[in-house]
């Protein structure tokens, strides 16, 4: 098994220091400056990579606030392209949602500013990223974690965030600028050749025997799906997409995370002092690789007794009334080996929602559906293609009712659901947030090539 590293050599041993902190100082970030930057993604001796970054780093600053607090951040755009910031998974007022043309004009290039300000109703793991020219802007490094702490967070020894991302780099560690290529756009999206954890290729992640870690995973990749296994460890999933659920151990210990999805894990470090354990990503079975090693320090165990797994308080998301919900069937189509829109009329558009391809330079289009404010809805999301699609709804949190007709045993909720090829999923939610909300595939090349729609709540 090889590292997913185009250079085929071990990168510098970037070992994270063991930081014994339970709760971190909350975010003091007041401004996000969007600008080109350079960062060592692969490590010496390879050159630094020219990226686009928030406040000079990829990922951007980790924003950490507490549930119920107000986020207030001014974004300054120093790119020479327009941009916006979308606060993925947050139930916020429509005008703060960061969708260009639909909820705000793009933040102008070379100095434009926009003030985002809204309350954080739900605790959990969220993230932020642009919603304009997404394949390129996210692909060049614009994203960051937004952590909303519980008012009374569970006791853990460490709260760590791994922002997972992948890059398509050449041998000089430069980004290959083939955004929106035909192959990527019409197939699985732009999957890179180098995977980074919070902005660097990591060899190892230091842990201590007996330690309990809350590990927050954020999939910030354009298109890559992860299937992470922690050898010698059995993580609990305690929240998905920020929303608490009954803690469970995923099948085969493998945590599957589509683009834009997040998982909160609790990992009890039961390994021996001095031992090493691989973290492997084998979502694409033929292309399994080692992400990094969990490396135990030689210190003795900080505790031996197992503790009960923490349960998080649910957020106050309204419960849909399933019996009286109005149903809609939404079919995602197109792609290679599927019914692609005619290239005569829809050049470069390969995907559809209910038969319609929508361009992402034109977010302002007629709504696919208009929903009555306060009413419950069930959407049957049908994947009529040969590809995976992580489908994301803005401004709301939905519950997953069933997959291919089988009731979902966990009743998990979230903002993004991964549809396997040729499957269907039922979701339910209360349309309680007025405005125009995107419903789209979070494989950004699919979104840009037609797979998006606007849902209006009026
Ligand atoms: Cu994470 Cu419409 O976006
Ligand atoms: Cu898709």
């Amino acid at each position: 098994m090889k590292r997913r590293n185009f250079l085929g050599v071990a990168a510098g041993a970037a070992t994270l220091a063991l930081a014994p902190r339970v709760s971190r100082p909350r975010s003091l970030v007041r401004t996000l400056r969007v600008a080109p930057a350079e960062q060592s993604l692969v490590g010496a001796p390879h050159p630094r990579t020219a990226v686009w970054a928030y406040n000079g780093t990829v990922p951007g600053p980790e924003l950490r606030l507490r549930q119920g607090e107000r986020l207030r951040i001014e974004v300054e755009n120093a790119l020479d392209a327009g941009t916006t910031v979308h606060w993925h998974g947050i139930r916020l007022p429509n005008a703060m949602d960061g969708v260009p043309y639909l909820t705000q004009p793009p933040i102008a290039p070379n100095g434009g500013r926009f003030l985002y300000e809204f309350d954080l109703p739900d605790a959990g793991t969220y993230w932020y990223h642009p919603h304009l020219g997404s394949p390129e802007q996210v692909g060049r490094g614009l994203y960051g974690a937004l952590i909303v702490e519980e008012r009374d967070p569970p006791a853990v020894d460490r709260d760590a965030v791994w922002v997972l991302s992948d890059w398509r780099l050449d041998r000089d560690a430069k980004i290959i600028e083939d955004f929106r290529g035909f192959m990527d756009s019409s197939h699985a999206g732009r999957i890179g050749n180098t995977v980074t954890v919070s902005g660097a290729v990591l060899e190892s992640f230091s842990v201590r025997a007996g330690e309990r870690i809350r590990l927050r995973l954020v999939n910030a990749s354009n298109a890559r799906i992860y299937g992470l296994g922690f050898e010698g460890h059995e993580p609990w999933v305690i929240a998905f997409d920020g929303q608490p659920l009954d803690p469970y151990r995923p099948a085969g210990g493998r945590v599957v995370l589509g683009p834009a999805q997040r998982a909160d894990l609790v990992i009890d470090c039961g390994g021996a002092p001095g031992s090493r354990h691989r973290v492997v990503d084998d979502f694409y079975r033929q292309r399994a690789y080692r992400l990094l090693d969990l490396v135990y320090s030689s210190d003795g165990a900080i505790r031996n007794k197992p503790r009960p797994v923490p349960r998080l308080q649910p957020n106050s998301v309204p419960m849909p009334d399933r019996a009286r919900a109005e149903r809609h069937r939404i079919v995602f189509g197109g792609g290679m080996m599927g019914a692609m829109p005619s290239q005569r009329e829809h050049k470069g558009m390969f995907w559809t929602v209910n038969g319609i391809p929508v361009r992402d330079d034109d977010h302002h289009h007629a709504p696919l559906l208009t929903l009555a404010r306060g009413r419950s809805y069930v959407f049957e999301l049908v994947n009529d293609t040969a590809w995976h699609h992580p489908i994301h709804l803005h401004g709301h949190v939905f519950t997953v009712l069933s997959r291919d007709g089988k009731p979902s045993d966990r009743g998990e909720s979230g903002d993004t659901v991964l549809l396997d090829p040729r499957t269907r999923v039922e979701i339910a939610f209360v349309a309680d947030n007025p405005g125009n909300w995107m419903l789209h595939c979070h494989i950004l090349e699919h979104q840009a090539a037609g797979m998006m729609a606007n849902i209006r709540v009026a």
Side-chain angles (χ1 to χ4, degrees), residues 25-226:
R26 278 174 287 147
S27 177
L28 297 172
V29 175
R30 306 239 186 280
T31 314
L32 283 178
R33 187 164 189 275
V34 196
E38 282 194 352
Q39 182 157 319
S40 177
L41 298 177
V42 192
H46 306 290
R48 293 155 71 84
T49 300
V51 297
W52 290 359
Y54 292 116
N55 294 1
T57 62
V58 178
E62 181 182 303
L63 307 178
R64 218 172 238 272
L65 291 94
R66 187 150 298 164
Q67 186 173 16
E69 285 184 334
R70 195 165 177 80
L71 177 149
R72 187 173 198 277
I73 289 179
E74 188 169 42
V75 175
E76 181 196 337
N77 182 14
L79 299 174
D80 57 31
T83 193
T84 63
V85 179
H86 170 60
W87 312 89
H88 185 115
I90 304 289
R91 297 187 297 141
L92 41 58
N94 194 239
M96 295 290 116
D97 198 39
V99 178
Y101 311 110
L102 193 65
T103 70
Q104 66 168 95
I107 309 173
N110 306 310
R113 290 170 174 269
F114 190 89
L115 179 65
Y116 291 95
E117 184 171 9
F118 50 87
D119 295 331
L120 298 162
D122 301 325
T125 303
Y126 304 94
W127 66 300
Y128 59 96
H129 64 78
H131 221 286
L132 181 60
S134 309
E136 176 174 11
Q137 296 202 5
V138 175
R140 289 187 187 274
L142 290 175
Y143 41 79
L146 169 54
I147 308 299
V148 185
E149 291 183 343
E150 293 81 13
R151 293 190 177 94
D152 184 17
V156 293
D157 299 302
R158 206 164 18 142
D159 182 324
V161 183
W162 288 2
V163 178
L164 301 169
S165 190
D166 66 341
W167 306 78
R168 190 173 285 174
L169 301 179
D170 69 14
R171 301 197 70 83
D172 299 316
K174 265 180 64 182
I175 294 174
I176 299 170
E177 298 177 332
D178 58 351
F179 303 103
R180 301 190 185 208
F182 164 80
M183 276 294 288
D184 292 333
S185 298
S186 58
H187 292 69
R190 188 167 179 276
I191 293 177
N193 55 15
T194 303
V195 174
T196 54
V197 178
S198 299
V201 173
L202 280 195
E203 273 304 302
S204 56
F205 183 79
S206 298
V207 301
R208 180 169 176 186
E211 191 184 14
R212 169 169 275 186
I213 300 177
R214 177 176 185 170
L215 181 60
R216 301 172 187 260
L217 302 173
V218 179
N219 183 353
S221 296
N222 282 26
R224 177 182 291 272
I225 305 168
Y226 296 83

Side-chain angles (χ1 to χ4, degrees), residues 4 14 25 54 110 116 127 145 193 197 215 226 231 242 254 258 269 271 311 343 366 377 403 408 410 415 425 434 454:
R4 167 80 48 215
Y54 292 116
N110 306 310
Y116 291 95
W127 66 300
N193 55 15
V197 178
L215 181 60
Y226 296 83
E231 291 182 359
R254 188 163 176 259
C269 297
R311 248 161 225 284
Q343 291 300 299
Y377 289 86
R403 293 173 188 274
S408 155
R410 279 185 247 298
D415 50 68
V425 168
N454 160 16

